[in-house]
Amino acid sequence: MHKCFPARGVMEGLLSRCRALPALTTCGRQLSGYVPHRFYHCGPERGKRLVLSRMFQPQNLREDQVLSPEGRSGDLSCKSQRLMLQVGLIHPASPGCYHLLPYTVRAIEKLERVIDQEMQAIGGQKVNMPSLSPAELWRATKRWDLMGKELLRLRDRHGKEYCLGPTHEEAITALVASQQTLSYKQLPFLLYQVTRKFRDEPRPRFGLLRSREFYMKDMYTFDSSPEAALETYGLVCGAYSSLFHRLGLQCVRVQADVGSIGGTTSHEFQLPAEVGEDRFAVCPGCGFSANMETLHSSQTSCPACRGPLTESRGIEVGHTFYLGTKYSSIFSAQFTNAHGKPCLAEMGCYGLGVTRILAAGIEVLSTEDSVRWPSLLAPYHVCLIPPKKGSREEAATELTGGLYDLITEAVPQLRGEVLLDDRTHLTIGNRLKDANKFGYPFVIIAGKRALEDPAHFEVRCQNTGEVVFLTREGVTEFLSQVQVV
């Protein structure tokens, strides 16, 4: 007789290896034998099953069918863009703008939850500011002209000018300045939002890596002194490092130029990638790192220890700025100090490219033909594949549905995370091939061994390529250790 399931140590070892690699795998086709109850995008009610045939997912699983927004397949020079279009994660709306389809929306919602956890752990408070920003705010800081053509501008019917905000330093500072009774005892404020941003890119490309409309997390901090502001700066940078670690992304924090945002100190979080448009240098000896823009063009030695510098390309996924009083002095964002005198707030601002983090993670983690997701962000963690209709294993179809119900009952964190591939007119092999493209972390197949007594299901860890056969009880024990957000 076969063992019911491997020893706990074996399962824990497999799961730990799956976690060690930041990505997952994919999901397959359709199942029959079951009449699908109802499809629920979020967590279904008990007794309801999420089935693949009801998913709105326009797929182009042949590479030669995938076109860029301009209609030329040759424009798809970026792996993440090609894969996200191919498996139906995004769909082009216009140059630089994309429809985000259900899998991507789920992944972004999960990323936002991880961001909320990290920001609120350091005292962040979530706000939501209008995308429309009055021109007078931007003229006050002179950025109305400084931003140039990248600022998307418009007039309302009364002739009043606005921009669609690429960032919100002006708006948040004016908001805080309107509160005229602030005390030093209330500070620091760490105010953040996750909203759509807009930038009139001259040449949008690489899908979600450089687009005209995108999601961004922007945080703005207000402190009572430069020392306190720099302490907050370090706190937020630490939260960013924690975030990327949880996502399994090996980002590098580098010194950066302050650009049009301004301030005196700035750092970027760069994800090393061949497609990256930034160049940065790292010193293996002392750990110094900087964007190449901040170094002399001919500089090859570390300015800190004189050791050799190693140059890499990267995708900027986060940026931090210590602003000082640049904005608070313009809008009179003040607080009352311990002596009862008004003082200008010391500010910082901190950005995370939400859609860019997702696309960049897919860029560096995926294979050439299969999506792999940053850890925790897989839209669905488990895909169940029942036998093909009319096959010798068809009798196991009912067992697959029972296993779905058991998982969602016995492993509460996986409710809404299990997808049943109900396209049983397709072979298991074809559905498994699709599952590999979609990047589900775990694929469970009801094959020949599902007809044994007790039934054994094939469990594939898509990150490691490992396969084990487990009973119903073994499957639920194994999956109970899976972490979700």
Side-chain angles (χ1 to χ4, degrees):
M1 280 187 65
H2 297 286
K3 292 182 180 179
C4 288
F5 51 87
R8 178 183 297 272
V10 175
M11 288 195 291
E12 288 178 349
L14 172 60
L15 191 61
S16 65
R17 288 192 293 275
C18 291
R19 286 182 187 143
L21 294 172
L24 320 171
T25 43
T26 332
C27 159
R29 326 260 194 253
Q30 298 181 325
L31 122 87
S32 91
Y34 289 107
V35 177
H37 303 349
R38 268 189 80 188
F39 173 83
Y40 285 80
H41 173 65
C42 299
E45 299 174 7
R46 292 187 178 186
K48 310 295 182 182
R49 293 174 185 154
L50 291 163
V51 293
L52 188 57
S53 64
R54 301 289 300 274
M55 177 64 72
F56 178 68
Q57 201 73 7
Q59 303 166 23
N60 296 293
L61 294 178
R62 281 176 47 200
E63 185 173 340
D64 59 359
Q65 294 175 332
V66 181
L67 296 179
S68 72
E70 292 72 34
R72 300 185 301 273
S73 60
D75 292 338
L76 300 173
S77 57
C78 170
K79 178 171 59 178
S80 58
Q81 180 187 18
R82 174 173 52 79
L83 286 173
M84 294 181 81
L85 287 167
Q86 192 175 359
V87 304
L89 301 180
I90 58 176
H91 189 79
S94 62
C97 296
Y98 291 88
H99 300 288
L100 306 182
L101 300 181
Y103 276 44
T104 301
V105 171
R106 283 180 63 90
I108 287 175
E109 287 171 346
K110 291 181 178 185
L111 177 53
E112 186 171 350
R113 285 198 288 274
V114 180
I115 290 172
D116 285 341
Q117 291 169 3
E118 294 296 337
M119 295 302 100
Q120 292 170 21
I122 60 172
Q125 301 179 66
K126 202 169 188 178
V127 299
N128 197 312
M129 291 177 277
S131 294
L132 278 177
S133 188
E136 56 264 27
L137 292 180
W138 289 75
R139 287 197 172 102
T141 60
K142 299 185 172 23
R143 292 210 297 170
W144 184 260
D145 296 320
L146 184 63
M147 292 290 290
K149 293 182 178 180
E150 288 192 359
L151 205 59
L152 277 165
R153 307 157 201 260
L154 62 156
R155 292 176 185 266
D156 68 11
R157 66 182 67 194
H158 306 294
K160 185 175 176 61
E161 291 184 291
Y162 296 87
C163 69
L164 289 173
T167 182
H168 279 73
E169 284 81 12
E170 285 83 357
I172 193 68
T173 313
L175 172 63
V176 171
S178 69
Q179 313 303 306
Q180 299 179 1
T181 58
L182 294 180
S183 166
Y184 73 98
K185 295 179 181 179
Q186 296 173 266
L187 302 181
F189 284 142
L190 290 78
L191 307 175
Y192 78 99
Q193 62 177 353
V194 180
T195 57
R196 288 180 182 266
K197 300 293 190 296
F198 305 86
R199 183 178 293 121
D200 193 357
E201 288 282 355
R203 191 187 169 205
R205 56 180 180 160
F206 298 152
L208 299 186
L209 291 180
R210 182 166 291 282
S211 55
R212 286 178 170 165
E213 183 175 356
F214 50 94
Y215 278 97
M216 190 171 87
K217 189 285 302 178
D218 45 326
M219 171 178 272
Y220 306 92
T221 62
F222 298 82
D223 276 276
S224 58
S225 69
E227 294 77 18
L230 288 172
E231 184 177 343
T232 298
Y233 187 92
L235 200 64
V236 179
C237 287
Y240 277 22
S241 296
S242 174
L243 170 77
F244 292 124
H245 176 74
R246 290 178 65 188
L247 298 179
L249 300 178
Q250 306 300 314
C251 292
V252 181
R253 178 186 169 189
V254 304
Q255 294 181 15
D257 186 77
V258 297
S260 63
I261 289 179
T264 58
T265 301
S266 176
H267 290 87
E268 294 168 346
F269 286 78
Q270 294 280 352
L271 182 62
E274 291 182 7
V275 76
E277 297 184 280
D278 290 318
R279 293 164 51 239
F280 66 93
V282 175
C283 175
C286 70
F288 169 86
S289 57
N291 190 304
M292 294 298 292
E293 293 177 350
T294 67
L295 302 175
H296 299 298
S297 58
S298 60
Q299 187 167 350
T300 59
S301 60
C302 174
C305 73
R306 299 301 173 189
L309 291 173
T310 301
E311 186 177 330
S312 300
R313 300 193 74 86
I315 301 169
E316 180 193 326
V317 289
H319 208 150
T320 61
F321 300 84
Y322 170 48
L323 301 173
T325 60
K326 173 182 167 117
Y327 293 90
S328 58
S329 61
I330 294 171
F331 294 102
S332 296
Q334 299 178 331
F335 66 94
T336 302
N337 67 13
H339 304 290
K341 294 184 178 181
C343 296
L344 292 172
E346 294 280 337
M347 291 179 57
C349 68
Y350 311 85
L352 285 173
V354 177
T355 40
R356 183 179 284 187
I357 288 172
L358 180 64
I362 290 174
E363 179 69 33
V364 301
L365 299 174
S366 298
T367 66
E368 284 300 318
D369 57 2
S370 299
V371 173
R372 294 295 179 267
W373 300 89
S375 181
L376 301 176
L377 302 188
Y380 297 96
H381 273 73
V382 180
C383 176
L384 291 178
I385 301 179
K388 181 183 179 182
K389 187 176 182 179
S391 68
R392 277 183 279 181
E393 294 81 24
E394 186 178 9
T397 298
E398 187 174 348
L399 295 176
T400 315
L403 180 62
Y404 181 107
D405 297 338
L406 178 64
I407 292 171
T408 55
E409 284 292 325
V411 190
Q413 74 266 29
L414 289 182
R415 258 174 226 153
E417 293 289 333
V418 183
L419 192 64
L420 189 62
D421 188 346
D422 61 334
R423 301 171 299 162
T424 50
H425 63 282
L426 298 173
T427 66
I428 286 177
N430 282 336
R431 283 176 283 167
L432 181 59
K433 191 181 297 183
D434 282 0
N436 190 47
K437 276 190 173 293
F438 280 102
Y440 309 104
F442 303 100
V443 177
I444 302 175
I445 301 169
K448 294 178 182 178
R449 294 194 61 184
L451 299 177
E452 296 178 357
D453 186 16
H456 282 70
F457 297 89
E458 182 179 340
V459 180
R460 290 175 170 263
C461 175
Q462 301 284 41
N463 282 344
T464 64
E466 293 181 79
V467 178
V468 293
F469 287 86
L470 305 174
T471 62
R472 282 164 42 102
E473 294 76 14
V475 169
T476 56
E477 182 178 354
F478 174 72
L479 293 178
S480 67
Q481 303 171 67
V482 174
Q483 297 178 358
V484 298
V485 291

